[in-house]
Amino acid sequence: QITLKESGPTLVKPTQTLTLTCTFSGFSLSTSGVGVGWIRQPPGKALEWLALIYWDDDKRYSPSLKSRLTITKDTSKNQVVLTMTNMDPVDTATYYCAHTGTPRSGMDVWGQGTTVTVSS
Amino acid sequence: QSALTQPASVSGSPGQSITISCTGTSSDVGGYNYVSWYQQHPGKAPKLMIYEVSNRPSGVPDRFSGSKSGNTASLTISGLQAEDEADYYCSSYTSSSTLGVFGTGTKVTVL
């Protein structure tokens, strides 16, 4: 059974850096085709792609947020970490991590999400 | 890249069929068979309902079906049930982004 769980601060101040960790089980990020992505959803708004990392360390980023994002993986710890710099109140959202077993074929298992508020 | 366009809301009575459209361009929906659909209940994480235009993951009822014509993909829910009331998002691979793009979302109401 594949599970993912997001963790990180619930409140960050403007200009600070956000670090979120996705801890997963039930699969290996060393297996060909597997990827873990981050998606966010501001309150009452649509889903938005942030970043995705594949088994071969191929990394993909949202073009509009690329300069602020870094995604890394620790295969031995079964974790994927997302950092987002220069946080702003508009970054207030629920942040999800999710699994894909085949590139481009959809995110088939999602974490429960973690809510991050950006406020001074 | 611009979000895919979905109707804000669609409604139907129990037992009826409804269809949600997802309109993109030849650079995303029209150019690739990599359209996915997600269901999201309030306060819950999205759930994959359809992948690669028309494939259902294990456990998804066959009341849910997907299709595509040109630059528009569609999700049809047949035999609408109360538990189908949720938000639905489409997603597509796009040549303008290495990540893909989501739709604007559709709220389905069961009358």
Side-chain angles (χ1 to χ4, degrees), chain B:
Chain B
Q1 72 285 5
S2 299
L4 306 174
T5 301
Q6 299 179 231
S9 63
V10 174
S11 62
S13 299
Q16 287 187 329
S17 293
I18 61 169
T19 297
I20 304 167
S21 61
C22 170
T23 302
T25 69
S26 58
S27 296
D28 38 64
V29 174
Y32 308 93
N33 289 324
Y34 292 118
V35 176
S36 304
W37 288 91
Y38 300 88
Q39 176 192 65
Q40 186 180 33
H41 287 108
K44 301 295 186 181
K47 174 186 176 183
L48 180 65
M49 304 301 283
I50 297 288
Y51 66 97
E52 294 176 5
V53 176
S54 60
N55 295 300
R56 277 188 311 276
S58 174
V60 172
D62 59 7
R63 304 184 290 105
F64 293 85
S65 62
S67 62
K68 190 185 83 168
S69 178
N71 296 337
T72 298
S74 298
L75 174 71
T76 298
I77 309 175
S78 305
L80 197 62
Q81 298 183 6
E83 60 261 37
D84 300 333
E85 187 163 290
D87 293 326
Y88 291 81
Y89 293 92
C90 61
S91 178
S92 174
Y93 175 80
T94 170
S95 60
S96 61
S97 165
T98 58
L99 267 180
V101 59
F102 283 105
T104 51
T106 298
K107 180 175 180 58
V108 168
T109 301
V110 181
L111 301 171

Side-chain angles (χ1 to χ4, degrees), chain A residues 72-85:
Chain A
T72 60
K73 63 181 174 71
D74 186 330
T75 305
S76 64
K77 292 183 178 180
N78 282 352
Q79 290 182 333
V80 170
V81 175
L82 180 76
T83 61
M84 179 180 293
T85 61

